[in-house]
Each structure stands twice: as C-alpha cells, then as structure tokens.
Amino acid sequence: MTGLVTLVGGGPGREDLLTLAAARALARADVVLYDRLAPHERLQELAPGAELVDVGKRPGHHAVPQQEIEALMVEHAHAGRRVVRLKGGDPYVLGRGGEELLACHAAGVHVEVIPGVTSAVAVPGAAGIPLTHRGISHLFTVVSGHTPLSENELEHLSGLGGTIVVLMGVNSLPALTAGLARHGMSAQMPVAIIERGFTADQRTTIGDLADIVTAAGRARVASPAVVVIGEVVRLAHDGEAGATELMRRAAGFTAVGA
Ligand code: SAH
C-alpha cells in the first residue's frame, strides 16, 4: 500500500477557478492539507471522503510551520493515503511547492503536481488590469515582497520596463517604491494594489510611485493583496469605475474610509 501526494494549485480563492484536475484530485482524496488562500469553504463537498486539515498560512502567521506540513504530507502518504496538498494559486509561484515536492522525494513518496491559476496574473485581471497590452507592455516580472530586494535587483527591475507584479508586498511597499525611485523609475509610474481578489470585498487602490504608500496607508490596505507597477495600470477598471476614478477615491480616503 503506497500513498500518493498531489500538490494542487487551487487558484486565487474562488471555487470555480479550480481546474477540473484539481476537482478530481479532491474528489478522490483521503486527506486534504489546505491553505487559507485556496478555495476551502466547500471542501467537505469537494472532497467528501477526506479528512480536512487547515494548515492555514496567513501573512506573517504560519499556523503550521513548513517543516511540519511536509512531515504531515509524508506521514499520511506512508500510511497509504491519497494526500492532496491544496495551495493558493499555482504551487510553483512563490508557494514553496518545490520544497514540498523535494521533501516527498526525499522520503520516497510519489508526487504529482497540478498547476493552478496564479494570483499574480488573475488578481490584476480581476481589477481590469492586463499585465501585457500591445503597445504598452510586452513583459511582466513577478516579484516576492517577502524579503527585501538587493540594490542590484532594484536597479535592473527599474530599468527593465514592462509590468512589475508583487506578491506578499503590502508591508514592503515603502522600501520597494523608494528603491525603484532611487534607481530612476518615474515618480508618475502608475501603481495599483488589489486586495482580496475574487471575493466580495475585492478592492483596488490606485496611485503613482510617489504617492501609493500614502494612498495605501489612508485606505488601510491589508494582505492578501497583489501590487502592480506599470503603465498597464491606466487600463484598470473595477465595476463601473475606471483608473482615474479609482485614483480619486484613493486620494480622498481620509474623508470616506478612515
Ligand atoms: N502560489 C500563489 C502565491 C502565494 S504567495 C499564487 O500563485 O497565487 C501569497 C500571496 O499571493 C499573497 O500575499 C498575495 O500577494 C497573493 N494572493 C493570493 N491570492 C490572492 C487573492 N485572492 N487576492 C489578492 N492577493 C492574493
């Protein structure tokens, strides 16, 4: 009796953005170890035969340390179970999927990986921001805001052009924007922060490189959020509101929101 671990990319949180492969893996799972950013509200129906374990990672708050998650995956698989490790977005985009895969390999456990819709692309899209647009941007770079970028990285990033997408970037936004400005990025470069993508509380705050930190502070922007830096932000729309209106709202937040 040998178990199996399936690393499943659960997408940005809305159930209908799970892939068919993800739904199938859940349907036959014996154990599901899930993160908070993956769709988890109806897991009991999606994985009716499974024990559900919340290893929920909220920013700065690892409910279950990474090593323990890996040990749990291996332990359940060694007991002959079909383990689904349900992760937010895509397992291989700033999600430690590679580490989990290696931990399984090291323990002789067979692993499959099912890709997911990454928040890096889908959440900006949910705010009407295409990461590429003919004539505006033909490349994008995805960056982790978890650890500070080096001066060398900041220099190259600001000189590269195209669109910059930052995950886990709320706390490090002041350092990042200051760093990009220091290396020559225009103070007028548009910046958007999209919080809680694909939920009823999704919200977009728009500013430019020089004022986004103030706008974010006024709006009390919080994780999880995706930050987009680049000219494509001018195309943003949220329901009926376009980028200009969203920017006006961000500027007026003291009066309305605080
Ligand atoms: N592997 C994941 C990313 C994990 S890092 C993926 O491919 O999407 C976690 C970060 O993803 C969060 O801090 C936030 O920046 C972003 N994120 C994930 N889901 C999100 C959502 N629904 N709304 C806004 N940001 C989200």
Side-chain angles (χ1 to χ4, degrees):
M1 197 170 58
T2 49
L4 165 72
V5 169
T6 311
L7 294 183
V8 175
R14 210 173 71 184
E15 188 183 313
D16 62 356
L17 292 173
L18 281 170
T19 64
L20 290 175
R24 279 189 204 116
L26 286 168
R28 56 171 190 257
D30 299 311
V31 186
V32 179
L33 308 173
Y34 65 95
D35 282 347
R36 293 290 175 85
L37 287 174
H40 60 271
E41 269 155 26
R42 270 189 358 104
L43 270 185
Q44 223 142 27
E45 283 129 279
L46 293 167
E51 177 193 343
L52 306 177
V53 185
D54 178 0
V55 292
K57 287 188 196 167
R58 275 163 294 176
H61 172 96
H62 287 215
V64 178
Q66 183 67 21
Q67 272 187 329
E68 265 175 56
I69 295 175
E70 291 168 11
L72 272 176
M73 287 167 38
V74 167
E75 191 184 304
H76 283 296
H78 277 158
R81 302 191 183 107
R82 280 162 303 193
V83 183
V84 164
R85 171 72 177 105
L86 182 63
K87 303 174 71 64
D90 184 274
Y92 286 157
V93 178
L94 303 177
R96 310 189 78 166
E99 289 168 54
E100 295 178 5
L101 179 110
L102 290 177
C104 289
H105 280 178
V109 171
H110 187 69
V111 195
E112 283 175 0
V113 182
I114 297 177
V117 173
T118 180
S119 65
V121 177
V123 169
I129 303 173
L131 296 187
T132 67
H133 189 91
R134 182 176 286 267
I136 299 180
S137 168
H138 64 181
L139 65 100
F140 60 87
T141 311
V142 180
V143 180
S144 166
H146 187 62
T147 39
L149 297 180
S150 68
E151 286 303 310
N152 195 31
E153 286 168 330
L154 286 165
E155 181 188 348
H156 288 292
L157 197 55
S158 79
L160 183 60
T163 308
I164 300 169
V165 181
V166 192
L167 303 187
M168 301 176 278
V170 172
N171 293 336
S172 54
L173 190 64
L176 180 67
T177 51
L180 291 173
R182 194 160 64 241
H183 287 283
M185 185 177 280
S186 159
Q188 279 83 49
M189 183 64 80
V191 182
I193 309 174
I194 307 109
E195 299 165 84
R196 300 177 293 273
F198 296 99
T199 70
D201 300 330
Q202 179 178 315
R203 177 174 71 162
T204 308
T205 303
I206 294 185
D208 60 29
L209 194 69
D211 69 14
I212 191 66
V213 170
T214 309
R218 280 203 192 110
R220 300 186 187 184
V221 163
S223 297
V226 174
V227 179
V228 185
I229 304 171
E231 297 293 345
V232 287
V233 167
R234 297 190 194 285
L235 303 170
H237 58 86
D238 207 359
E240 294 300 296
T244 314
E245 168 62 14
L246 292 171
M247 198 178 303
R248 195 190 61 74
R249 284 187 206 165
F253 233 100
T254 2
V256 188

